[in-house]
Amino acid sequence: MNNKFSQITAKAKACKKLKFTSLAHHINKDLLVSVFGELKRNKASGIDEVTVGEYQANLNSNIEALVLKLKSKTYRPKPVRRVYIPKPGKNEKRALGIPSTEDKLVQLGIKHILESIFESDFLDCSHGFRPNRSCHTAVKELDKAMMTKPVQYIVEVDIKGFFDNVSHYWLQRCLEERISDPNFLWIIRRLLKAGIMEEGKLIGSDQGTPQGGVASPLLANIYLHYVLDLWFEKKFRKGNRNYMQQIRYCDDFIVLFESQKDAVCFLKELKERLAKFKLSVAEDKTRLIEFGKRAYQRCQRNGTRASTFNFLGFTHYYGKSRKDKIIAWHKTAKENLCRKLRAMKGWLRAMRVKAPFNEWIPILKSKLIGHYNYFGVSGNYRCLWQYYRKTVSLIFKWVNRRSDKESMTMSTFINYLQFNPLPKPRIAVNFYAFRQTQ
């Protein structure tokens, strides 16, 4: 299967105007069996309540029946089960759509095929849900721009309810730029219009790609590639000599400008552009700020506070190095740090009565390592230690709440940590290596 995808990718790279006419036959038994291992066993099941393990019990027969339905066009995706989870640091809730195991499998097959076609088309400004790209590559790109480019203004943009408002019509038009196989497009339409099951009621889905779907992030990237990325690169900035750069992680993006006039113009034209595709910006979360080395120097002279902004869980700002040079800094956003500590507190509170201390410590270690792996960027050492110390304090607090009597004294606890140390904060992503080459 990898060889087939490589051939598709080679053709897509060789000719940017090539349209693929025969793709549906690639969603066969071999592909579905090979991608089945990518399904996560611990994820929630759809409305049919069939888990990955249960589906695997009769994997060959289930996939053969699925392929037959796809070929005969009798495939009917089940409505996704809608659940709500709290938005990070907010009182609002985010809607997630959980497909059935069989539909997840079909989406995985579609994802691999679409990725082999469109990955070569995507621009460097896009970092979300792509091979060899991540939040860290986006933050690195931002760090590079802050250090080496004439950044003077930044536009933060939030697209209002993006995943819920993606137009199926325009999404198909985007897909048709590279695909003309009606059978393959029929499968995607079926998945998009499967409907939503909420509190026992079936709700039609005339628009949107529910968050939680395996293929939704890739479809979002394809949509924004044509709606936003190409428009910005080929039309808005074309012929303009002033510096401007977009950095996007799925539907979360910022744009850096040298000129205030360009930034104001961009915001105006962006709203018009999004309106054409049935999208809009969230006015309360979209803003233009003066941000750059000159703005920082001016604030230093005036004794005022320089502007900062949050992007991908980090607060980005300018500050002084030990050698008194102005450099870019990135630290864990305050609301993210508080949210992570609240989550750790809730987990420790629950675990203190569910399992013995020695059993949940390994899980705690993996949680700490996961935190360091994401937030461990150059210059963020202080916030990592703050998280570590608060966590240690919370451990001691909740260990001693297991009963009315004190379970462990402070000296006993310190002695335990000496022989069973928790992972210490570390920097996982180094920006200074790049800076030293400049």
Side-chain angles (χ1 to χ4, degrees):
M1 294 310 303
N2 288 335
N3 186 41
K4 289 183 179 180
F5 292 143
S6 298
Q7 291 175 1
I8 293 173
T9 301
K11 290 181 180 179
K13 283 183 179 180
C15 182
K16 296 296 184 181
K17 295 184 178 181
L18 174 66
K19 291 189 177 184
F20 292 84
T21 59
S22 181
L23 293 171
H25 70 278
H26 288 298
I27 307 179
N28 52 31
K29 182 179 178 181
D30 291 340
L31 172 63
L32 296 178
V33 169
S34 66
V35 301
F36 181 80
E38 298 179 28
L39 291 178
K40 296 181 179 179
R41 303 305 196 260
N42 60 343
K43 293 297 182 180
S45 56
I47 63 169
D48 60 357
E49 298 184 351
V50 176
T51 65
V52 175
E54 292 170 344
Y55 193 86
Q56 188 178 16
N58 298 297
L59 184 61
N60 288 327
S61 59
N62 285 336
I63 288 182
E64 286 173 0
L66 174 58
V67 172
L68 185 61
K69 287 188 288 185
L70 289 169
K71 288 183 177 179
S72 61
K73 286 194 173 183
T74 57
Y75 170 64
R76 299 291 183 272
K78 296 176 178 62
V80 299
R81 180 165 65 90
R82 175 173 280 178
V83 296
Y84 292 90
I85 61 171
K87 284 189 175 181
K90 301 175 185 176
N91 294 325
E92 306 172 17
K93 289 189 175 182
R94 174 183 289 121
L96 290 182
I98 303 175
S100 67
T101 298
E102 187 168 80
D103 296 334
K104 288 178 184 177
L105 194 57
V106 175
Q107 289 190 40
L108 262 178
I110 289 173
K111 173 180 173 291
H112 280 276
I113 294 171
L114 290 177
E115 204 170 65
S116 62
I117 296 171
F118 286 96
E119 179 58 31
S120 61
D121 292 349
F122 291 152
L123 304 183
D124 289 339
C125 64
S126 172
H127 295 266
F129 304 98
R130 294 181 58 190
N132 303 317
R133 287 173 176 260
S134 64
C135 294
H136 290 149
T137 61
V139 176
K140 271 188 175 183
E141 193 66 28
L142 174 60
D143 181 83
K144 179 180 177 181
M146 289 173 65
M147 291 294 294
T148 63
K149 304 298 181 182
V151 178
Q152 300 298 332
Y153 297 89
I154 283 183
V155 174
E156 293 181 81
V157 182
D158 185 274
I159 301 178
K160 189 175 181 179
F162 171 74
F163 282 93
D164 294 330
N165 293 298
V166 170
S167 166
H168 290 177
Y169 167 76
W170 285 112
L171 177 56
Q172 175 148 326
R173 289 285 300 273
C174 293
L175 293 170
E176 287 173 351
E177 289 292 316
R178 290 295 247 160
I179 300 169
S180 60
D181 180 356
N183 295 323
F184 187 75
L185 294 172
W186 174 84
I187 298 173
I188 296 177
R189 283 198 303 273
R190 279 290 182 189
L191 289 167
L192 291 173
K193 297 185 179 296
I196 299 166
M197 187 66 72
E198 183 177 1
E199 297 180 350
K201 296 180 180 179
L202 180 62
I203 304 171
S205 51
D206 298 325
Q207 63 182 19
T209 58
Q211 283 182 278
V214 178
S216 289
L218 179 56
L219 292 174
N221 270 338
I222 294 171
Y223 196 77
L224 290 175
H225 170 71
Y226 290 103
V227 172
L228 179 64
D229 299 350
L230 288 179
W231 167 77
F232 179 78
E233 294 293 334
K234 306 295 184 182
K235 187 174 180 180
F236 181 80
R237 68 179 294 179
K238 187 177 181 180
N240 194 323
R241 295 183 179 180
N242 292 328
Y243 165 77
M244 58 183 75
Q245 181 180 353
Q246 179 190 231
I247 301 173
R248 180 173 67 82
Y249 187 91
C250 203
D251 64 321
D252 193 3
F253 69 98
I254 57 171
V255 189
L256 298 82
F257 290 94
E258 179 181 3
S259 164
Q260 183 180 18
K261 182 180 178 181
D262 291 335
V264 173
C265 183
F266 169 78
L267 257 181
K268 179 183 176 182
E269 293 190 24
L270 175 68
K271 293 175 182 178
E272 296 172 358
R273 175 70 176 177
L274 293 179
K276 178 181 176 181
F277 296 93
K278 313 300 182 184
L279 297 172
S280 62
V281 301
E283 296 290 349
D284 57 327
K285 301 174 185 176
T286 300
R287 61 173 184 157
L288 187 161
I289 61 171
E290 186 176 8
F291 182 88
K293 292 182 179 179
R294 291 183 183 177
Y296 173 78
Q297 290 172 324
R298 191 182 309 116
C299 289
Q300 290 286 295
R301 290 194 298 268
N302 298 336
T304 57
R305 189 172 182 178
S307 297
T308 66
F309 69 96
N310 294 343
F311 182 55
L312 299 179
F314 295 92
T315 296
H316 309 277
Y317 61 103
Y318 282 101
K320 292 289 185 70
S321 70
R322 293 177 181 178
K323 297 181 179 180
D324 207 36
K325 292 184 178 180
I326 300 175
I327 62 172
W329 291 94
H330 319 274
K331 67 179 181 179
T332 309
K334 185 178 179 180
E335 54 267 33
N336 280 67
L337 183 58
C338 292
R339 177 171 57 86
K340 290 289 186 180
L341 287 171
R342 283 197 301 269
M344 179 62 76
K345 178 182 177 180
W347 183 80
L348 289 169
R349 184 177 182 179
M351 290 302 295
R352 80 189 195 278
V353 294
K354 285 185 178 180
F357 183 60
N358 291 333
E359 289 186 13
W360 54 259
I361 279 292
I363 305 174
L364 174 65
K365 290 180 179 180
S366 66
K367 286 180 174 290
L368 287 171
I369 291 171
H371 185 88
Y372 303 153
N373 285 343
Y374 185 83
F375 290 103
V377 302
S378 299
N380 196 30
Y381 209 49
R382 182 182 298 175
C383 288
L384 295 183
W385 270 104
Q386 186 178 354
Y387 180 77
Y388 172 82
R389 292 190 186 102
K390 291 283 188 180
T391 298
V392 171
S393 177
L394 287 169
I395 295 169
F396 181 72
K397 172 184 175 180
W398 289 109
V399 162
N400 284 307
R401 295 288 182 91
R402 292 171 64 94
S403 64
D404 293 336
K405 296 181 179 180
E406 189 177 47
S407 301
M408 186 180 291
T409 64
M410 177 58 76
S411 60
T412 304
F413 181 61
I414 293 173
N415 186 59
Y416 178 87
L417 290 182
Q418 287 177 345
F419 289 95
N420 301 276
L422 295 174
K424 296 294 177 63
R426 64 181 182 83
I427 299 301
V429 182
N430 186 5
F431 296 154
Y432 297 146
F434 159 76
R435 295 176 184 175
Q436 290 170 0
T437 64
Q438 299 304 305

